[in-house]
Amino acid sequence: MVSETDCLFCRIVAKEIPAEIVYETDRTLAFRDVNPQAPTHALVIPKDHYRDAAALAAADHGLADEVLRTAHAVAEQEGVAGSGYRMVFNTGPGAGQTVFHVHAHVLGGRGLTWPPG
């Protein structure tokens, strides 16, 4: 597993920092956001460290697909898949990325306006 010792999400994967895990596969982990912006707000990450969505896309081994499948599984499990949910990848500081380990936000359970932010 590729990790970085100072990465918050790598430390969650390593179980060094507690998180409320809601879904897990061999290569992905989903946990509740500590600052939820909707009734359902989970983060889905690959267990291996990739800085952002661009780095994940360049990995080219199906991991991005698995992150998307995990995000949908979380939406189904949380009961928001039928009514609709939003999946967001912030890539880079200008887009609001604050933890530089790629993660998908899965948001649902309330009306989500457009445009966001």
Side-chain angles (χ1 to χ4, degrees):
M1 180 178 309
V2 178
S3 68
E4 292 194 6
T5 57
D6 63 340
C7 172
L8 173 66
F9 292 170
C10 287
R11 294 183 67 203
I12 289 172
V13 170
K15 309 293 193 245
E16 295 172 4
I17 295 175
E20 186 179 344
I21 297 170
V22 297
Y23 198 90
E24 185 171 6
T25 70
D26 288 343
R27 299 192 312 158
T28 65
L29 186 68
F31 51 92
R32 298 216 185 277
D33 193 298
V34 297
N35 184 24
Q37 301 300 305
T40 294
H41 189 169
L43 303 177
V44 178
I45 66 170
K47 290 180 178 178
D48 285 343
H49 184 89
Y50 295 93
R51 178 175 173 80
D52 55 29
L56 178 63
D60 194 29
H61 52 51
L63 186 53
D65 296 349
E66 190 166 341
V67 168
L68 294 176
R69 283 192 304 274
T70 297
H72 181 67
V74 167
E76 287 183 323
Q77 178 179 289
E78 297 291 316
V80 298
S83 60
Y85 62 97
R86 182 169 292 162
M87 187 183 329
V88 177
F89 289 88
N90 297 321
T91 300
Q97 185 178 8
T98 58
V99 176
F100 290 90
H101 182 126
V102 64
H103 54 286
H105 295 260
V106 178
L107 301 125
R110 68 168 175 83
L112 299 169
T113 60
W114 194 262

